[in-house]
Every structure is written in C-alpha cells, then in structure tokens.
Amino acid sequence: MRYSIHEISSICQVEIINEQIYPGIIDEIYFDTRKGCYSANNLFLALQNTNTDGHDYIHEAYHTLGTRNFFVSKMLDISLFPGANFFLCKD
C-alpha cells in the first residue's frame, strides 16, 4: 500500500521537523540499510536499541540508497540532507 507524506504523518502522529515538506509517496519502510533498496520513496526508521543506533545510518540511507524520508527520535542537523523529510517520533 502507498501512503503520502501527509498520510504517514497523520497515521503515525509524528511531527515533520523540516521547514519545507517535500511531496512524495512512501512505497517501502525499512530499518536496516543492508536490506533497503534504492528509492526516494522509502521510509527509513532510525531505531535505537542497546546494540545500535539507527541515526548512525541515516547518512548511508540518504547517500547510498537515495532515501528521502526518515523517522527519527532525536534532533539532528537535517541541513545535511537537502530534499529529505524528517519525522520526529516520541519513543
């Protein structure tokens, strides 16, 4: 199923933290950059656990996999990722 950026924001009750919302459709959701496929229409979940922090892989997801939509749980310098949407989730 495909969702728009606004639908994802509403369904998940998250805050879009970038100033400009970049239009798009979410086709796939992933949390492991080793298993993601190249697409701007993917949504990367920057999950944190005791072993790893998904925020450390945002750079790879953006530059290597072309991802332009991210769920994050902490603020970061989003100016490093032009044209991307960042959704702030509360744990």
Side-chain angles (χ1 to χ4, degrees):
M1 185 170 274
R2 301 175 73 182
Y3 293 100
S4 73
I5 299 303
H6 292 289
E7 288 171 323
I8 288 285
S9 176
S10 177
I11 291 167
C12 298
Q13 298 180 349
V14 293
E15 176 187 356
I16 300 174
I17 58 176
N18 39 299
E19 290 181 16
Q20 178 182 352
I21 299 170
Y22 299 96
I25 298 294
I26 303 298
D27 289 327
E28 184 176 328
I29 299 171
Y30 73 105
F31 60 89
D32 188 338
T33 54
R34 297 170 296 178
K35 298 179 182 173
C37 61
Y38 189 90
S39 174
N41 293 336
N42 287 346
L43 172 64
F44 178 71
L45 307 177
L47 302 178
Q48 290 181 284
N49 62 40
T50 55
N51 297 322
T52 190
D53 183 349
H55 297 86
D56 295 338
Y57 299 95
I58 290 173
H59 185 270
E60 180 180 352
Y62 180 88
H63 290 288
T64 304
L65 296 174
T67 302
R68 294 299 181 262
N69 302 287
F70 300 90
F71 267 27
V72 297
S73 60
K74 60 185 177 184
M75 296 299 288
L76 58 141
D77 185 1
I78 63 173
S79 69
L80 299 173
F81 308 99
N85 292 309
F86 284 86
F87 303 88
L88 184 62
C89 309
K90 296 185 171 74
D91 288 338

